[in-house]
Structures are given as C-alpha cells and as structure tokens.
Amino acid sequence: MPQSIEEHVGARIARFRKQRGLLQQGLALRANVSKSLLSKVECGQKPASPALIAACARALGVSTSDLLGQPYAEELRRDRMDALIQPIREGLENWDVALDWETAPRPVALIRADVQRALVQRRQAQYTDMVRDLPSLIDESVQAVHTSTGEEQRQAYECLAGTFRCVFTVAWKFGFIDLATVALDRLAWTAPRADEPGLVAMYSFLRAQTTLSSGRYDVGMRVVDRALRELEGENTRRPAGIEAMRGMLHLRAAVIAGRAKDRDHAEARLAEARAIARQTGELPDFGVTWGPTNVGVHAVAMASEMDEFGLAIELAKDVRIPPGWTRSRAGHHWMDLGRAHAWAGHPEQALDCLQRARRIAPQQTRYHPTVRETVLALKRRERARNGSLTQYAEWVGI
C-alpha cells in the first residue's frame, strides 16, 4: 500500500522511538541532537537532514533505509524492478571462480564496450536497461578474467570493477543497502587487480559514501584522506582521470565535513575541489561526473542539507548546467533545490524543481527519498488542493 501522508521521516523516527520505549529526550541524548529539533522533525515542522537521520538511525539501532521507508516495495513491483534485482544478487555470488562454460566468453573488447554502455546508463539514470544486463556482464567478466592473460586479463578485471560500480549505484539508490555493501566488497577485491589507481580511488570514494549513512564521519574522512595520499605519485594510464578522482574525493570530504557540522573544513575542501575543476574543466572519467558544474551543485546540496535554504537558493543562481550533462547529477540538483524552496516557503518553485528532476531523470526521481519528503512537506502545507502536486504525489507513490 502507498505510504500515508503522515508517514514522513519524522513520523517514522517517532514510531521507532516509541517501539524502543524512548521519550524524545532519551533519543535526543542518544543521537546528540537537541530535543527541540527532534520534536519539530517528528511533527513535520522541520526537515529531517541526512545528518539527523543517520544519528537517529544509529541511536535506534536501525538502518537509514528503515527511517526513509526504502525500498519502496509497491512501486518497485509496479515497475518490475524487484524482479530484476534478484538475478543481480545471484550474479554477485561469484566473482573469483571460473565458470563451467563449454564455450569461451566474448573477446574482452566486446565485453568492455557493453560495460562502458552500462556505466553511461548509470550516469544517465537509465537503471532498468542497466540492471537487466548486469548479471550476464558479471558472468562474462568473471570468465574472461580466468581465460585471459596479460593486458587482456587486466582489462577483464576493469570490466568486472565497472559492473560492481553499477550494482552499487542501483542498490544504494533503491535502498538495498545489503546488496550495495556486497558490491562494494567485490569492488575492493577487483580494483587492485585492474592495476588502475583511479579504480582503487573509486572504491574509497564509494566506501566513504557508506559512512554518511552510518554517521561515522570520522571513518569516512580517514578513508578519503588515505585515498588522496595513495594517489600521490601514482603512475596511471589516465592522468586526467586521476585528477577527476582527486577532485571527487575532495567533494566527498566536503560533504562529510558538512554532515559533521564543520563548516570551515567543508568550505576548505570545496575550495580544493574548485581549484582542481578550474584546471581540468568538465571531465567525465571513471564513471564520475567531474568539473566546475559538479562542484557548484555540491555546494547547493550541502547548503540545503545544513538547512541553509536561502543560501542554497542563492548559490543555485550561479549554477549553469551544460547541455548534455549527466542526467543523474542534473536530476539530483533539481531535487536538492526543490527541497530548499519547499522549506524556504516557496511551494510553486519547489514543485517546478521537482518537475524538472522528473523530466531529466524520471526513474531516479521517483525513488529518491528527498523527493518524497519534499512532496510530503508540500502536501502538509498546501492551503488549497493543487492538482499538479496531487498528480506528482501519486506518481511517486504517495
């Protein structure tokens, strides 16, 4: 059944809190947040920031997905995505053992072309097509690893790393955190064997992302800084890509510092990323979207996450998304800006931003918790029935 209009994140926090027999003061102490803020979040007067969600999840002994209501089972079944996830789970069972195939796998060059297409689909938020092909690509890459040598084998490992990167993305975005963790473990094993420092840095970038969910910001920062140290002086086939990964790691550090409420550190890391972006320009590599635009949208997102909605809206005025830019990142930007407008008291602008996100990356938008929380906030505050908002709410499953 679709969730009720009252079941926003704050309501879920209250429900789990009561199940644990805790008063608001007790949870506030355990989560190290103010009772006043917790009270306002539970009744929907204030947004639940990612940092607060992580802190409450940790204090309550649940996952952030539990508090976000993910995965959205009814909508996944309606889109048949649930049926596509299970073959991926089965595909991840093997990553290091040769398969009992009677025929040889395709040449690595052909497998690599399909993996590159999957990575493009990931960046463009075309998840259904990507997910459908991943199980066979995993098997082919595994077999190629065991039936090739030298440079071909290295490229086969690179293909395998690419498939695990794709699995992590779709599992994380749809709320299958257990599957995302398995994919990350597989990537940790595979990336060094691909003999490409950029892929090892990618693993660290994703691992640091998981610490955002658990609220272990100290661990996340150490992971990022270790990866940056390891990149120093590394020989690589793709030096420009290494600069992109260096910039992405600084962006990850900026987000971590922002969640930890260390604004000075967050600003310093943003400045590092901005300086690298000025040198490289727009540079997609290693499956990331890197460049000045991504630094700009991260600054907007960080301000929104820290409930500085006016600042987020001001910063967004300087963001110019270039034609053909990555749809997943562009869609995410409009979600973040929609959240800022909603809580700044601009319902029309908020809905317009959400509609833009839907047009750019519909599947990502439909399943993203930020969108659902923003729609719920708009529904609670509407003074008269808004047909466009009602239609949008039905589309996301509310």
Side-chain angles (χ1 to χ4, degrees):
M1 292 294 290
Q3 59 183 302
S4 72
I5 192 65
E6 293 80 19
E7 192 72 342
H8 53 86
V9 170
R12 289 194 197 95
I13 292 173
R15 176 156 54 81
F16 278 105
R17 173 179 61 75
K18 292 170 185 175
Q19 289 173 0
R20 300 293 190 272
L22 291 171
L23 298 175
Q24 285 183 340
Q25 184 63 40
L27 176 56
L29 288 171
R30 291 189 182 192
N32 195 28
V33 300
S34 75
K35 177 179 177 295
S36 173
L37 174 60
L38 179 62
S39 176
K40 291 175 181 177
V41 167
E42 286 192 353
C43 68
Q45 292 180 3
K46 286 273 191 181
S49 69
L52 184 139
I53 294 170
C56 287
R58 198 171 171 188
L60 292 167
V62 299
S63 70
T64 54
S65 292
D66 290 325
L67 297 184
L68 292 170
Q70 292 179 297
Y72 308 119
E74 187 67 26
E75 287 71 34
L76 285 169
R77 281 192 294 271
R78 186 169 59 196
D79 287 351
R80 298 184 179 179
M81 281 297 295
D82 59 335
L84 295 175
I85 293 294
Q86 184 56 32
I88 292 179
R89 289 187 183 278
E90 295 169 4
L92 287 181
E93 286 299 323
N94 184 39
W95 73 99
D96 61 344
V97 178
L99 304 173
D100 187 19
W101 283 7
E102 295 182 358
T103 59
R106 292 182 300 159
V108 172
L110 296 180
I111 300 172
R112 189 174 187 177
D114 284 348
V115 171
Q116 289 301 315
R117 186 179 70 247
L119 287 167
V120 171
Q121 290 169 335
R122 185 195 70 80
R123 291 172 57 217
Q124 301 302 336
Q126 297 168 340
Y127 299 127
T128 300
D129 292 339
M130 181 189 78
V131 167
R132 188 178 291 115
D133 294 337
L134 281 177
S136 61
L137 283 177
I138 292 171
D139 278 351
E140 279 197 290
S141 298
V142 168
Q143 194 67 357
V145 161
H146 289 280
T147 57
S148 59
T149 58
E151 176 61 14
E152 266 207 351
Q153 186 180 59
R154 190 202 68 76
Q155 290 184 16
Y157 274 119
E158 197 170 281
C159 289
L160 194 55
T163 65
F164 295 151
R165 170 75 168 105
C166 291
V167 172
F168 177 89
T169 293
V170 74
W172 189 266
K173 285 184 179 293
F174 288 176
F176 297 99
I177 303 304
D178 61 327
L179 182 60
T181 301
V182 173
L184 189 59
D185 286 343
R186 302 292 187 263
L187 182 58
W189 183 87
T190 307
R193 289 166 172 79
D195 191 27
E196 176 47 69
L199 289 175
V200 178
M202 171 57 66
Y203 160 73
S204 297
F205 176 76
L206 297 178
R207 183 183 171 194
Q209 181 175 331
T210 67
T211 67
L212 294 174
S213 178
S214 65
R216 289 301 308 271
Y217 307 127
D218 56 333
V219 174
M221 196 64 76
R222 287 199 297 271
V223 167
V224 167
D225 286 339
R226 183 180 66 183
L228 285 168
R229 288 194 301 271
E230 290 174 349
L231 283 179
E232 293 296 332
E234 282 281 4
N235 294 321
T236 176
R237 299 165 186 82
R238 292 143 70 176
I242 288 297
E243 287 305 298
M245 285 310 308
R246 199 186 311 277
M248 291 298 292
L249 285 166
H250 279 298
L251 280 184
R252 181 68 84 218
V255 172
I256 292 170
R259 298 273 179 98
K261 308 300 182 187
D262 188 345
R263 170 163 286 286
D264 289 343
H265 191 181
E267 290 293 340
R269 293 297 187 131
L270 267 179
E272 292 272 8
R274 195 172 287 115
I276 295 172
R278 280 197 295 266
Q279 294 178 350
T280 64
E282 299 292 332
L283 182 67
D285 203 355
F286 291 112
V288 302
T289 301
W290 168 250
T293 307
N294 202 16
V295 176
V297 301
H298 268 77
V300 173
M302 288 169 56
S304 179
E305 283 187 3
M306 290 188 283
D307 296 347
E308 296 178 353
F309 305 120
L311 176 60
I313 293 167
E314 281 300 311
L315 289 172
K317 294 177 180 178
D318 294 328
V319 173
R320 298 290 181 269
I321 295 178
W325 203 56
T326 303
R327 287 178 176 270
S328 61
R329 289 304 307 149
H332 210 300
H333 170 65
W334 290 112
M335 294 180 215
D336 292 329
L337 189 55
R339 179 182 187 270
H341 275 298
W343 290 101
H346 312 147
E348 292 182 4
Q349 293 94 323
L351 184 56
D352 179 66
C353 289
L354 296 185
Q355 296 284 17
R356 286 177 181 243
R358 177 181 179 177
R359 288 194 295 270
I360 293 169
Q363 199 167 28
Q364 173 180 260
T365 301
R366 185 174 188 179
Y367 291 106
H368 204 286
T370 292
V371 173
R372 294 186 174 225
E373 287 299 296
T374 301
V375 170
L376 287 168
L378 292 173
K379 291 290 287 182
R380 288 195 302 273
R381 286 162 175 74
E382 66 177 343
R383 293 186 174 87
R385 184 178 175 83
N386 182 326
S388 297
L389 178 59
T390 299
Q391 290 176 359
Y392 198 97
E394 290 174 352
W395 176 69
V396 299
I398 297 173

